[in-house]
Amino acid sequence: MTNRLKVLFYGTPAFALPTFEAVLRHHDVVAVVTQPDRPAHRGQRVTAPPVKTRALAAGLPIFQPPRLRDPEWPEHLRALGADVGVVVAFGQILPQAVLDAPRRGSINVHGSLLPRYRGVTLMQMDAGMDTGPMLRSESIVIGAAETAGELAARLATLGAEVLIDTLAQLDTLTPTPQRHEDATLAPRLKRTDGYLDWTRPARELVNIVRGCNPWPGGLARGPAGVLTIWRATALDDGRTLAPGTLAASESGLAIATSKGALQPVEVQPENRRAMSWSDYLRGARLQAGAVFVMPDAVRPEP
């Protein structure tokens, strides 16, 4: 493609990196706007966002404003002379004056098939929360055992591809308004979202485990303490056992639910590395009849 655009790039986490790399290959990045360095990981060491680290390696100008709502920013960004802004998981709601700073406005690579389902949407941004008209969208099939983290990695790659195609067709695309009445909320995950309530069906609990990987994981408390379940499968077990009870199945010990049983595959005890379910059972010396409860419940007896 010969029509290289001057791009003002906004992004912060690793999810934004595939799109950032694609823009670097196909266009000219005039500057990068990312979140400020913040404490991270167990040591709470101040850490640069992944996008900043890559921008430094590329020798690009970098801005890390705590608030882009401050009145001086629109003019400052306009002076960069960008043709278009590209926003990927930046982490702040951008005011309209900031979105309008590039000559052709700003485009968001959104990891959802707006307004409801999984896929990627390229959206002309407005001052609302994911409310702008859509330029392009691509759907994606979720794997039967795919985790949220694995899906996010695929969406990040797909978003990069769709963005480059969108920028190439920018003169011919007609934005399509969203059906706002179909919109659903996707609030930020909390640790308690991973709590496993064994009175729910096994297949629902497996989906919670998948949706909470890589954070916070599916969480339960057993006789050996809090256990994070990273991967699991659902078993169609016709027996009636008290939910949370460890019981023998054809594939080993599984945890009874209100419908079927949950068979952990990969787990992580408190302050330990991740391991297979069979290794955990051997180390914890658990047998059929042991009970698992929600993490904030009283520790069950062995």
Side-chain angles (χ1 to χ4, degrees), residues 73-300:
W73 276 107
E75 186 57 41
H76 188 57
L77 297 172
R78 193 174 298 114
L80 296 171
D83 295 312
V84 65
V86 171
V87 183
V88 190
F90 172 56
Q92 292 185 36
I93 296 177
L94 303 179
Q96 194 66 51
V98 166
L99 297 172
D100 293 340
R103 182 172 61 88
R104 305 184 69 168
S106 300
I107 296 172
N108 179 217
V109 179
H110 193 279
S112 174
L113 201 60
L114 293 172
R116 293 181 68 89
Y117 300 114
R118 282 298 177 191
V120 166
T121 300
L122 274 291
M123 175 177 58
Q124 187 77 47
M125 296 185 73
D126 61 20
M129 173 69 82
D130 303 331
T131 55
M134 300 177 292
L135 295 170
R136 284 278 306 278
S137 63
E138 293 286 341
S139 62
I140 195 169
V141 176
I142 303 174
E146 191 168 26
T147 68
E150 292 163 346
L151 177 61
R154 289 204 296 135
L155 290 174
T157 300
L158 177 62
E161 297 168 357
V162 177
L163 173 76
I164 296 305
D165 289 344
T166 299
L167 292 179
Q169 302 172 46
L170 204 53
D171 292 331
T172 61
L173 293 175
T174 301
T176 302
Q178 293 187 49
R179 287 175 53 86
H180 298 300
E181 62 271 23
D182 292 338
T184 56
L185 295 176
R188 187 183 298 273
L189 282 177
K190 308 180 298 297
R191 178 177 166 81
T192 53
D193 290 324
Y195 284 14
L196 298 177
D197 179 355
W198 304 104
T199 63
R200 298 175 67 173
R203 294 192 183 279
E204 287 187 13
L205 296 179
V206 167
N207 287 339
I208 291 173
V209 169
R210 292 168 58 207
C212 291
N213 182 342
W215 189 89
L219 299 165
R221 180 182 290 278
V226 173
L227 182 70
T228 302
I229 301 176
W230 293 117
R231 295 180 188 274
T233 59
L235 304 178
D236 293 325
D237 192 326
R239 292 174 299 171
T240 302
L241 294 172
T245 303
L246 197 60
S249 71
E250 291 183 359
S251 53
L253 293 176
I255 305 172
T257 73
S258 64
K259 184 178 181 181
L262 181 138
Q263 175 84 66
V265 174
E266 182 183 10
V267 301
Q268 186 170 4
E270 285 183 287
N271 303 316
R272 301 277 301 280
R273 61 173 179 82
M275 62 185 67
S276 69
W277 173 237
S278 58
D279 285 347
Y280 167 75
L281 289 175
R282 278 192 294 270
R285 299 180 179 179
L286 296 184
Q287 299 178 352
V291 175
F292 286 82
V293 296
M294 293 178 65
D296 53 2
V298 176
R299 178 176 297 196

Side-chain angles (χ1 to χ4, degrees), residues 9 12-22 50-52 54 88 156 160:
F9 189 87
T12 300
F15 180 85
L17 288 176
T19 301
F20 187 34
E21 294 286 358
V51 167
K52 177 185 178 180
R54 181 64 183 94
V88 190

